[in-house]
Amino acid sequence: MRLKSILLLLLCFIVISPLIGQKDSTKLKFFEPAPSLNKGRIIGLSTGLAATYTGAMIGLNYIWYKDSPRTKFHFFNDAKEWKQVDKLGHIHTAYFESAWAAQMLRWSGVDDKKASIYGALMGFTYQSSIEIFDGFSEKWGASWSDLGFNAIGSGLALTQNLLWNEQRIRTKYSFHKVTHQDAELEQRATDLYGAGKIERLIKDYNSLAIWVSVTPSRFMKNPRPQTSWLALSVGYAGANMYGGFENKWEDEDGNEITRHDIEQYRRFFFSLDVDFEQIPAKKHGWKTLLRLMNIVKAPMPALEVNTRGEIIFHPMFYLNWNKPIVLKK
């Protein structure tokens, strides 16, 4: 999964801000959408996106792939790896990138339909171009399934924009740091997912969850303002994953380590959520901030059902606040 793309897209928006602000000749406030096509904003947006995208790809090549030997471009079928957590991550990042690209185009004065279509194409292209790096990497390989899940994410954003001109069904992300059972597993997790906090936020498939969050009030004609922000959310995560297919690997000395005593399993969650965009805000800057916050799942109680047959109640499922109560083993 490429959750780092989210950070890069946010960086892109920050980087292009000065460019656009300098070229905006209509005296609009920065966060205020242009009522019609604004050439200054379009030029600034295009220039900023191109420059930032180029820099981001160079940075990704250095940070993510520098230690991976290069080989002839090839494909690799990874559809069954990591309990598909990475595949849902592709949906999430492509969705977020497409929704936000459309929003930036609307902000520049592009009409809603064109902004929706071009935004989806931009999000899909941005996320899928990473497959080029994977394809030339000996360690990975380009993935048809990744491209398919990217299309699902971009298609989710596009479909809702065309149907409702808003996002009523969102994908979200949450992180819950896992404490590993022994030193060997901790070392394996460090080798796989990194030692730093940022690396773990991006890479640690045992600690992240992907959610689908639906806001009922957006489907109502006369919703109650007091509860219009309330959303229903279903989440998915994997656990005990120390290898893509099974818990077997080689250490630095080439010794094979097998940990079949540690069972990989799937986790399903049911929870409430907050649609931050439904919180009233008059200023466009605050509206933009609330829209950005919708990328993450709000701290809420959650009920977990997993493939080990357990039912677990989480009084507060967020970061390391969690104190699970096992209802059924």
Side-chain angles (χ1 to χ4, degrees):
M1 184 178 57
R2 299 295 185 259
L3 287 174
K4 57 184 178 292
S5 302
I6 296 170
L7 301 176
L8 294 172
L9 191 65
L10 294 178
L11 175 63
C12 170
F13 191 76
I14 293 169
V15 168
I16 64 175
S17 297
L19 290 172
I20 301 169
Q22 291 172 5
K23 293 177 178 294
D24 188 358
S25 59
T26 61
K27 305 299 182 182
L28 292 169
K29 293 182 179 179
F30 177 72
F31 289 103
E32 183 181 356
S36 59
L37 196 63
N38 186 296
K39 290 184 178 180
R41 290 189 174 187
I42 289 293
I43 293 171
L45 184 63
S46 302
T47 304
L49 283 173
T52 309
Y53 176 82
T54 302
M57 292 300 103
I58 294 172
L60 279 179
N61 183 56
Y62 177 76
I63 295 171
W64 200 272
Y65 301 93
K66 65 175 181 178
D67 296 325
S68 177
R70 304 304 169 93
T71 184
K72 182 180 178 181
F73 187 85
H74 65 289
F75 281 87
F76 173 70
N77 183 8
D78 62 349
K80 296 182 179 181
E81 283 192 322
W82 309 111
K83 298 297 183 185
Q84 292 76 52
V85 172
D86 62 321
K87 302 307 172 192
L88 293 188
H90 275 273
I91 291 178
H92 176 57
T93 47
Y95 165 79
F96 177 80
E97 290 160 1
S98 298
W100 263 88
Q103 192 67 37
M104 286 192 288
L105 289 169
R106 288 196 193 100
W107 173 81
S108 300
V110 179
D111 72 70
D112 290 340
K113 184 176 181 179
K114 288 181 179 179
S116 301
I117 294 172
Y118 295 154
L121 289 173
M122 289 167 65
F124 175 79
T125 301
Y126 186 90
Q127 184 65 23
S128 298
S129 61
I130 298 173
E131 296 303 315
I132 298 173
F133 291 112
D134 283 345
F136 283 108
S137 173
E138 186 179 278
K139 186 177 180 180
W140 293 289
S143 170
W144 286 112
S145 59
D146 284 355
L147 293 172
F149 281 95
N150 291 344
I152 292 173
S154 295
L156 177 62
L158 173 61
T159 301
Q160 294 185 84
N161 278 334
L162 293 180
L163 281 177
W164 305 311
N165 201 32
E166 65 177 3
Q167 299 296 305
R168 301 180 179 182
I169 304 169
R170 301 177 181 276
T171 65
K172 295 194 175 188
Y173 163 87
S174 63
F175 184 85
H176 317 270
K177 185 180 179 181
V178 170
T179 301
H180 303 284
Q181 298 179 24
D182 56 48
E184 184 178 63
L185 294 178
E186 180 60 36
Q187 182 59 51
R188 175 57 175 167
T190 299
D191 294 339
L192 275 174
Y193 307 126
K197 292 182 180 179
I198 299 299
E199 286 182 290
R200 286 293 177 94
L201 281 170
I202 294 169
K203 297 181 181 181
D204 191 348
Y205 295 153
N206 288 317
S207 298
L208 60 89
I210 302 299
W211 302 76
V212 174
S213 191
V214 181
T215 309
S217 66
R218 290 180 180 261
F219 294 91
M220 301 176 183
K221 289 185 178 180
N222 299 301
R224 294 182 178 180
Q226 298 87 344
T227 58
S228 62
W229 52 268
L230 187 63
L232 306 177
S233 196
V234 179
Y236 176 75
N240 289 346
M241 296 182 292
Y242 302 98
F245 298 100
E246 58 179 334
N247 291 333
K248 183 169 67 175
W249 65 91
E250 290 186 356
D251 63 17
E252 294 181 354
D253 299 322
N255 301 313
E256 185 176 280
I257 299 175
T258 302
R259 293 298 305 265
H260 289 161
D261 59 309
I262 306 297
E263 176 191 1
Q264 295 189 359
Y265 64 98
R266 304 174 189 272
R267 308 171 72 192
F268 303 90
F269 301 95
F270 305 91
S271 180
L272 298 176
D273 193 18
V274 175
D275 184 347
F276 292 101
E277 201 170 341
Q278 289 292 89
I279 296 175
K282 294 182 179 180
K283 294 186 177 181
H284 291 289
W286 284 111
K287 289 181 180 179
T288 300
L289 177 61
L290 290 169
R291 194 175 292 120
L292 280 170
M293 290 174 63
N294 261 336
I295 190 175
V296 296
K297 167 74 169 62
M300 285 284 185
L303 183 68
E304 172 187 346
V305 178
N306 61 52
T307 53
R308 293 200 298 192
E310 298 173 326
I311 300 176
I312 302 172
F313 176 67
H314 302 268
M316 184 56 68
F317 195 58
Y318 185 75
L319 295 177
N320 293 88
W321 299 358
N322 189 29
K323 301 294 182 183
I325 300 171
V326 178
L327 302 178
K328 177 187 175 183
K329 290 187 176 181

